[in-house]
Amino acid sequence: MPATSVLEMNAPASGIFDVVVDLLAYDEWLPNSTSFPGITSISESPTKLGTTYVESTPLGIRHGEVIEFSRPSKVVFHQPMQLKDAPEGVLVDIKVEIILRMKTEEPVFEEGVGLEGARVMEFLKKKVESLA
């Protein structure tokens, strides 16, 4: 079962969605970390269904693709990663599903969680609430 985290944000769902899918602008609001040193290439902008991107990390290279895109409520990023120290052909398969929904008139952001996921959510919240 995937891990889920919920975070309420005081911003319109469309604004949150626009920030999440603007891959070229991540450097403006999301500081780099060991897990996310930044996106190194993007196939197209604006992001849409089928957009691909590459993230190089110390552990390996993620080759991401947008596999679901329903503005303003849902986007799914598929991010298989070839680990640098793993045997050839061994991949870590990561799927990040972002669903925006209304809860007591506040949009809610859901994402697979971990330390990096929690960090991303907090920076996203700061960014979208500064736009509202």
Side-chain angles (χ1 to χ4, degrees), residues 74-132:
K74 183 177 182 179
V75 63
V76 179
F77 300 96
H78 184 224
Q79 302 175 318
M81 180 167 61
Q82 175 67 52
L83 296 174
K84 289 181 179 174
D85 295 330
E88 188 65 33
V90 175
L91 293 175
V92 174
D93 197 11
I94 302 166
K95 181 178 164 188
V96 178
E97 185 173 79
I98 299 168
I99 302 168
L100 294 164
R101 61 182 167 83
M102 301 306 283
K103 178 181 178 186
T104 63
E105 300 183 14
E106 296 292 332
V108 176
F109 174 78
E110 295 184 12
E111 173 188 305
V113 72
L115 290 177
E116 184 64 9
R119 185 185 83 88
V120 170
M121 289 176 66
E122 285 301 322
F123 279 104
L124 176 64
K125 179 181 172 80
K126 286 179 189 174
K127 172 66 176 177
V128 299
E129 287 182 351
S130 74
L131 299 173

Side-chain angles (χ1 to χ4, degrees), residues 49-67:
L49 183 65
T51 296
T52 59
Y53 55 95
V54 176
E55 296 175 23
S56 296
T57 74
L59 296 176
I61 299 173
R62 290 186 192 105
H63 294 275
E65 180 180 4
V66 177
I67 60 172

Side-chain angles (χ1 to χ4, degrees), residues 26-40:
Y26 273 35
D27 288 342
E28 295 174 13
W29 61 269
L30 181 60
N32 291 347
S33 70
T34 303
S35 296
F36 180 76
I39 296 172
T40 55

